[in-house]
Amino acid sequence: MARTRKQEQDEDTPSVGNAAEEERDYSVRAVERVCLILNLLQETVDGITLNEVAQTTGLPKSSAFRYLWTLENHRYVERDEAQGLFRLGLGFVGMQSRHLEILRERARPSLEALRDEFGETANLGLLDGDHIIYIEIVESRRGVRLAASRGDRDPLHSTALGKAIAAHLPEDRVRHLLERTGTPPRTANTITSADDFLDELTKVRRLGYAVDNGENEIDGRCVAAPLLGTHLPAAISVSGPASRFTMQDVKKVAKTLIEVAAGIATNPLAVEPAQTDA
């Protein structure tokens, strides 16, 4: 039987019952269902299907989808269209999340070592919505340097960080992100076609690293490696002025970056157990 919008709304409205019971129970059914969905998502790494959400919450699939769709719009949920799975999004993780703090703390010494070894700025970036956000930066000590500020955002399609992260996302999701932002030319070297960008990602996966060759800033060059195994869309990079950080330097830096990224990604989000008094 067809369901009306009124019937669906009534599912989220507490029924009127005994007055004393209502006084004791201030819960809101819709909020409880949101919490249940978020708890389900938090318990899985790979994600859950719409059917699993519907079965666990007791909601019709149409109602479960509306909950997930709303959470996705606010970035608390992200959808893997290729696999039909839903996962926790970055709106839920949040910039002050303990997970990101641990990742930053773990990455900082490695970024400092990269800066000291190559003399250029080292970065930790994360996919936040449809852009890359810099969550940790260790600036070069040189007077002329290429460096963003923590919290700055750059496009996905023109940055080495963006390429390194996008190379390990489903193709449908990458296309969706590019549709939202477009591929505007930042410089004459910027990739401005979604198909060309996807071809570039094939190369990134083959090499294990990504290069921004004057694509985001005409006088800049950057090489990045993904942090695989962190369950976060993150990468690290080394960036510098193109006149000093040459293409001949890229392979050497990339080899070290890949090794460093593998080290950071080894249990990067493991939280030390709280100490208790005997």
Side-chain angles (χ1 to χ4, degrees), residues 58-73:
L59 286 168
K61 282 179 65 175
S62 60
S63 297
F65 178 78
R66 284 201 305 277
Y67 276 95
L68 290 165
W69 183 85
T70 303
L71 289 166
E72 183 183 1
N73 272 358

PDB file of all heavy atoms in Angstrom, residues 58-73:
ATOM      1  N   GLY A  58      14.474  -0.463  11.566  1.00  0.00           N
ATOM      2  CA  GLY A  58      13.055  -0.746  11.414  1.00  0.00           C
ATOM      3  C   GLY A  58      12.343   0.247  10.512  1.00  0.00           C
ATOM      4  O   GLY A  58      11.110   0.266  10.441  1.00  0.00           O
ATOM      5  N   LEU A  59      13.110   1.076   9.811  1.00  0.00           N
ATOM      6  CA  LEU A  59      12.528   2.071   8.916  1.00  0.00           C
ATOM      7  C   LEU A  59      12.278   1.476   7.535  1.00  0.00           C
ATOM      8  O   LEU A  59      13.017   0.593   7.097  1.00  0.00           O
ATOM      9  CB  LEU A  59      13.474   3.261   8.756  1.00  0.00           C
ATOM     10  CG  LEU A  59      13.604   4.239   9.927  1.00  0.00           C
ATOM     11  CD1 LEU A  59      14.793   5.159   9.694  1.00  0.00           C
ATOM     12  CD2 LEU A  59      12.330   5.060  10.079  1.00  0.00           C
ATOM     13  N   PRO A  60      11.261   1.971   6.829  1.00  0.00           N
ATOM     14  CA  PRO A  60      11.157   1.626   5.401  1.00  0.00           C
ATOM     15  C   PRO A  60      12.394   2.151   4.674  1.00  0.00           C
ATOM     16  O   PRO A  60      13.012   3.135   5.101  1.00  0.00           O
ATOM     17  CB  PRO A  60       9.902   2.387   4.948  1.00  0.00           C
ATOM     18  CG  PRO A  60       9.168   2.725   6.199  1.00  0.00           C
ATOM     19  CD  PRO A  60      10.193   2.862   7.279  1.00  0.00           C
ATOM     20  N   LYS A  61      12.762   1.511   3.566  1.00  0.00           N
ATOM     21  CA  LYS A  61      13.966   1.917   2.842  1.00  0.00           C
ATOM     22  C   LYS A  61      13.892   3.381   2.414  1.00  0.00           C
ATOM     23  O   LYS A  61      14.898   4.094   2.437  1.00  0.00           O
ATOM     24  CB  LYS A  61      14.176   1.026   1.614  1.00  0.00           C
ATOM     25  CG  LYS A  61      14.752  -0.331   1.944  1.00  0.00           C
ATOM     26  CD  LYS A  61      14.916  -1.192   0.706  1.00  0.00           C
ATOM     27  CE  LYS A  61      15.923  -0.612  -0.261  1.00  0.00           C
ATOM     28  NZ  LYS A  61      16.164  -1.520  -1.400  1.00  0.00           N
ATOM     29  N   SER A  62      12.692   3.840   2.026  1.00  0.00           N
ATOM     30  CA  SER A  62      12.559   5.232   1.579  1.00  0.00           C
ATOM     31  C   SER A  62      12.874   6.203   2.707  1.00  0.00           C
ATOM     32  O   SER A  62      13.538   7.220   2.510  1.00  0.00           O
ATOM     33  CB  SER A  62      11.148   5.482   1.040  1.00  0.00           C
ATOM     34  OG  SER A  62      10.186   5.229   2.053  1.00  0.00           O
ATOM     35  N   SER A  63      12.426   5.878   3.924  1.00  0.00           N
ATOM     36  CA  SER A  63      12.702   6.749   5.067  1.00  0.00           C
ATOM     37  C   SER A  63      14.173   6.664   5.473  1.00  0.00           C
ATOM     38  O   SER A  63      14.803   7.689   5.782  1.00  0.00           O
ATOM     39  CB  SER A  63      11.817   6.363   6.264  1.00  0.00           C
ATOM     40  OG  SER A  63      10.452   6.543   5.952  1.00  0.00           O
ATOM     41  N   ALA A  64      14.726   5.446   5.460  1.00  0.00           N
ATOM     42  CA  ALA A  64      16.147   5.282   5.801  1.00  0.00           C
ATOM     43  C   ALA A  64      17.015   6.072   4.824  1.00  0.00           C
ATOM     44  O   ALA A  64      17.992   6.714   5.219  1.00  0.00           O
ATOM     45  CB  ALA A  64      16.528   3.805   5.774  1.00  0.00           C
ATOM     46  N   PHE A  65      16.632   6.042   3.541  1.00  0.00           N
ATOM     47  CA  PHE A  65      17.408   6.785   2.543  1.00  0.00           C
ATOM     48  C   PHE A  65      17.352   8.287   2.820  1.00  0.00           C
ATOM     49  O   PHE A  65      18.361   8.986   2.672  1.00  0.00           O
ATOM     50  CB  PHE A  65      16.888   6.496   1.133  1.00  0.00           C
ATOM     51  CG  PHE A  65      17.616   7.262   0.073  1.00  0.00           C
ATOM     52  CD1 PHE A  65      18.869   6.848  -0.366  1.00  0.00           C
ATOM     53  CD2 PHE A  65      17.075   8.424  -0.466  1.00  0.00           C
ATOM     54  CE1 PHE A  65      19.556   7.563  -1.331  1.00  0.00           C
ATOM     55  CE2 PHE A  65      17.755   9.147  -1.436  1.00  0.00           C
ATOM     56  CZ  PHE A  65      19.002   8.719  -1.864  1.00  0.00           C
ATOM     57  N   ARG A  66      16.200   8.797   3.240  1.00  0.00           N
ATOM     58  CA  ARG A  66      16.098  10.235   3.512  1.00  0.00           C
ATOM     59  C   ARG A  66      16.980  10.633   4.699  1.00  0.00           C
ATOM     60  O   ARG A  66      17.584  11.707   4.693  1.00  0.00           O
ATOM     61  CB  ARG A  66      14.647  10.638   3.772  1.00  0.00           C
ATOM     62  CG  ARG A  66      13.804  10.703   2.505  1.00  0.00           C
ATOM     63  CD  ARG A  66      12.570  11.582   2.706  1.00  0.00           C
ATOM     64  NE  ARG A  66      11.785  11.129   3.841  1.00  0.00           N
ATOM     65  CZ  ARG A  66      10.905  10.140   3.796  1.00  0.00           C
ATOM     66  NH1 ARG A  66      10.725   9.484   2.653  1.00  0.00           N
ATOM     67  NH2 ARG A  66      10.215   9.793   4.853  1.00  0.00           N
ATOM     68  N   TYR A  67      17.046   9.792   5.714  1.00  0.00           N
ATOM     69  CA  TYR A  67      17.955  10.067   6.830  1.00  0.00           C
ATOM     70  C   TYR A  67      19.400  10.142   6.322  1.00  0.00           C
ATOM     71  O   TYR A  67      20.138  11.075   6.640  1.00  0.00           O
ATOM     72  CB  TYR A  67      17.847   8.966   7.895  1.00  0.00           C
ATOM     73  CG  TYR A  67      16.723   9.135   8.882  1.00  0.00           C
ATOM     74  CD1 TYR A  67      15.496   8.510   8.689  1.00  0.00           C
ATOM     75  CD2 TYR A  67      16.884   9.921  10.015  1.00  0.00           C
ATOM     76  CE1 TYR A  67      14.458   8.652   9.602  1.00  0.00           C
ATOM     77  CE2 TYR A  67      15.862  10.075  10.935  1.00  0.00           C
ATOM     78  CZ  TYR A  67      14.638   9.442  10.723  1.00  0.00           C
ATOM     79  OH  TYR A  67      13.626   9.588  11.624  1.00  0.00           O
ATOM     80  N   LEU A  68      19.799   9.123   5.564  1.00  0.00           N
ATOM     81  CA  LEU A  68      21.177   9.076   5.059  1.00  0.00           C
ATOM     82  C   LEU A  68      21.461  10.235   4.111  1.00  0.00           C
ATOM     83  O   LEU A  68      22.541  10.831   4.149  1.00  0.00           O
ATOM     84  CB  LEU A  68      21.420   7.738   4.355  1.00  0.00           C
ATOM     85  CG  LEU A  68      21.466   6.515   5.266  1.00  0.00           C
ATOM     86  CD1 LEU A  68      21.347   5.233   4.447  1.00  0.00           C
ATOM     87  CD2 LEU A  68      22.748   6.492   6.092  1.00  0.00           C
ATOM     88  N   TRP A  69      20.497  10.563   3.278  1.00  0.00           N
ATOM     89  CA  TRP A  69      20.668  11.658   2.315  1.00  0.00           C
ATOM     90  C   TRP A  69      20.886  12.978   3.045  1.00  0.00           C
ATOM     91  O   TRP A  69      21.739  13.784   2.677  1.00  0.00           O
ATOM     92  CB  TRP A  69      19.444  11.732   1.409  1.00  0.00           C
ATOM     93  CG  TRP A  69      19.533  12.766   0.320  1.00  0.00           C
ATOM     94  CD1 TRP A  69      20.117  12.629  -0.903  1.00  0.00           C
ATOM     95  CD2 TRP A  69      19.021  14.100   0.375  1.00  0.00           C
ATOM     96  NE1 TRP A  69      19.995  13.799  -1.628  1.00  0.00           N
ATOM     97  CE2 TRP A  69      19.333  14.719  -0.869  1.00  0.00           C
ATOM     98  CE3 TRP A  69      18.321  14.837   1.332  1.00  0.00           C
ATOM     99  CZ2 TRP A  69      18.984  16.030  -1.162  1.00  0.00           C
ATOM    100  CZ3 TRP A  69      17.980  16.154   1.047  1.00  0.00           C
ATOM    101  CH2 TRP A  69      18.300  16.732  -0.194  1.00  0.00           C
ATOM    102  N   THR A  70      20.097  13.212   4.113  1.00  0.00           N
ATOM    103  CA  THR A  70      20.238  14.441   4.901  1.00  0.00           C
ATOM    104  C   THR A  70      21.597  14.487   5.591  1.00  0.00           C
ATOM    105  O   THR A  70      22.283  15.517   5.585  1.00  0.00           O
ATOM    106  CB  THR A  70      19.112  14.536   5.952  1.00  0.00           C
ATOM    107  OG1 THR A  70      17.845  14.481   5.291  1.00  0.00           O
ATOM    108  CG2 THR A  70      19.214  15.841   6.743  1.00  0.00           C
ATOM    109  N   LEU A  71      22.020  13.369   6.182  1.00  0.00           N
ATOM    110  CA  LEU A  71      23.327  13.310   6.837  1.00  0.00           C
ATOM    111  C   LEU A  71      24.452  13.502   5.822  1.00  0.00           C
ATOM    112  O   LEU A  71      25.465  14.152   6.118  1.00  0.00           O
ATOM    113  CB  LEU A  71      23.493  11.970   7.559  1.00  0.00           C
ATOM    114  CG  LEU A  71      22.640  11.787   8.819  1.00  0.00           C
ATOM    115  CD1 LEU A  71      22.615  10.327   9.247  1.00  0.00           C
ATOM    116  CD2 LEU A  71      23.160  12.668   9.955  1.00  0.00           C
ATOM    117  N   GLU A  72      24.268  12.977   4.614  1.00  0.00           N
ATOM    118  CA  GLU A  72      25.279  13.144   3.564  1.00  0.00           C
ATOM    119  C   GLU A  72      25.387  14.615   3.158  1.00  0.00           C
ATOM    120  O   GLU A  72      26.488  15.128   2.934  1.00  0.00           O
ATOM    121  CB  GLU A  72      24.920  12.289   2.349  1.00  0.00           C
ATOM    122  CG  GLU A  72      25.957  12.356   1.232  1.00  0.00           C
ATOM    123  CD  GLU A  72      25.544  11.561   0.015  1.00  0.00           C
ATOM    124  OE1 GLU A  72      24.440  10.963   0.016  1.00  0.00           O
ATOM    125  OE2 GLU A  72      26.314  11.542  -0.960  1.00  0.00           O
ATOM    126  N   ASN A  73      24.248  15.307   3.075  1.00  0.00           N
ATOM    127  CA  ASN A  73      24.259  16.729   2.713  1.00  0.00           C
ATOM    128  C   ASN A  73      25.032  17.569   3.719  1.00  0.00           C
ATOM    129  O   ASN A  73      25.597  18.612   3.368  1.00  0.00           O
ATOM    130  CB  ASN A  73      22.827  17.265   2.614  1.00  0.00           C
ATOM    131  CG  ASN A  73      22.253  17.068   1.233  1.00  0.00           C
ATOM    132  OD1 ASN A  73      22.928  16.567   0.336  1.00  0.00           O
ATOM    133  ND2 ASN A  73      21.004  17.438   1.043  1.00  0.00           N
TER     134      ASN A  73
END
